[in-house]
Amino acid sequence: MDTLLLGQGYEPLGRVGWQRAMTLWFTGRAEILEEYDDRVIRTVRVAFPMPAVVRFFRSTRARRAAVRFSREQVYARDHGRCQYCSSEVTRRESTYDHIVPRSRGGATRWDNIVLACRPCNQRKADRTPSEAHMALLSRPVQPAPHADGWRMVLGLVGEAPAPWRPYLGLE
Ligand SMILES: [Zn+2]
């Protein structure tokens, strides 16, 4: 079971193994904010609850990770919705549209790729949105590490242990 690691300002930084979280706490670098109710760490002498969320006491510049470009992360950024018709698209049905088509020199990167359902992707074909008279729901950008990007940094799309959820803005 992993522990959610927060920065001094409560921003999610990532997930670490509970052993690492205990080390941070034991060495006085982090505080434990939440524990797992149903998990106990036993040593020879003591037993204590497993940490679920820990927070660094001091700011940590180095740990901010940029969100790497991948299909999964584009899917998460676009909230599983076709960016043309806004219908929900499952992972299996998902296609990725080059806004400026590759045949016209469009790059494969955050600001030129959106999640699209198959019908929209086929309809748009090798055209730009304006040529195809199809409007984008929003202008695609690279997610910021501490805004929309945290779910992707953490490898969490829709799942997080209960004690993490308030810190991830899920409740
Ligand atoms: Zn669509």
Side-chain angles (χ1 to χ4, degrees), residues 82 84-87 116-117 120:
C82 172
Y84 293 104
C85 70
S86 85
S87 66
C117 69
C120 282

Side-chain angles (χ1 to χ4, degrees), residues 106-117:
T108 301
R109 53 177 212 211
W110 285 110
D111 58 1
N112 195 48
I113 295 281
V114 289
L115 180 64
C117 69

Side-chain angles (χ1 to χ4, degrees), residues 58-77:
R58 295 167 62 180
S59 64
T60 47
R61 280 177 291 121
R63 293 189 146 264
R64 293 182 193 186
V67 180
R68 278 212 305 251
F69 182 81
S70 74
R71 282 172 163 256
E72 290 69 30
Q73 293 177 351
V74 170
Y75 185 91
R77 180 198 66 185

Side-chain angles (χ1 to χ4, degrees), residues 1 34 36 52-53 160-167 171:
M1 197 60 138
E34 306 285 342
Y36 290 111
V53 181
W164 295 17
R165 300 180 69 84
Y167 298 93
E171 276 167 3

Side-chain angles (χ1 to χ4, degrees), residues 22-75:
M22 289 305 293
T23 303
L24 291 171
W25 170 73
F26 196 71
T27 55
R29 292 159 67 196
E31 64 174 330
I32 296 172
L33 296 179
E34 306 285 342
E35 295 163 336
Y36 290 111
D37 291 337
D38 54 349
R39 293 187 189 252
V40 174
I41 300 161
R42 291 181 194 285
T43 68
V44 177
R45 294 181 185 208
V46 290
F48 39 89
M50 187 179 289
V53 181
V54 299
R55 170 183 164 257
F56 273 116
F57 285 121
R58 295 167 62 180
S59 64
T60 47
R61 280 177 291 121
R63 293 189 146 264
R64 293 182 193 186
V67 180
R68 278 212 305 251
F69 182 81
S70 74
R71 282 172 163 256
E72 290 69 30
Q73 293 177 351
V74 170
Y75 185 91

